[in-house]
Amino acid sequence: QVQVVESGGGLVQAGGSLRLSCAASGSIFRINDMGWYRQAPGKQRELVAAITSGGSTNYADSVKGRFTISRDNAKNTVYLQMNSLKPEDTAVYYCKANIKRTTFFTVNDYWGQGTQVTVSS
């Protein structure tokens, strides 16, 4: 069994900052790519930022220069530091981890339950 759990969402004023965390646990052999996605009401889920096991990153154009993704491989955790937040950043933020399990070495994407981020103007 594998679990992916996000934390750190909340309500913040425009211009403020939040830090999201996402921890994976369970029968993990290796975690490959990890990423943050978001879904605003009435919109499709979109990639915000992703990071490889080696630390290479990519970002959506809308968050470049404001958000930073990082990971702690020893803790199976990925972070998203969000600065200069805007009302249009309001969404449910989801973590995704591509995990190779110890059980039969299967590889799958695992999603967290999501955490709400609300930015007031």
Side-chain angles (χ1 to χ4, degrees):
Q1 194 80 343
V2 171
Q3 289 186 321
V4 176
V5 179
E6 302 104 336
S7 60
L11 173 65
V12 64
Q13 288 189 333
S17 298
L18 281 174
R19 188 190 194 211
L20 305 182
S21 299
C22 169
S25 62
S27 55
I28 297 170
F29 179 79
R30 184 180 64 239
I31 301 179
N32 300 314
D33 295 356
M34 303 183 83
W36 288 96
Y37 293 71
R38 66 186 181 188
Q39 187 166 19
K43 294 187 176 181
Q44 289 189 330
R45 191 173 297 188
E46 62 175 358
L47 173 68
V48 176
I51 186 167
T52 68
S53 58
S56 296
T57 60
N58 69 285
Y59 297 90
D61 287 343
S62 59
V63 306
K64 283 181 181 177
R66 299 188 298 123
F67 291 9
T68 301
I69 189 171
S70 61
R71 64 191 283 174
D72 184 333
N73 291 330
K75 296 181 178 179
N76 291 338
T77 299
V78 63
Y79 305 96
L80 186 67
Q81 178 67 44
M82 304 185 293
N83 298 328
S84 303
L85 282 161
K86 304 175 181 180
E88 51 263 45
D89 295 317
T90 295
V92 178
Y93 283 69
Y94 297 90
C95 172
K96 186 182 80 170
N98 183 264
I99 295 173
K100 185 174 187 177
R101 294 183 60 183
T102 56
T103 310
F104 305 115
F105 296 107
T106 55
V107 179
N108 291 101
D109 288 333
Y110 294 86
W111 290 86
Q113 80 288 352
T115 185
Q116 177 70 45
V117 172
T118 303
V119 184
S120 62
S121 57

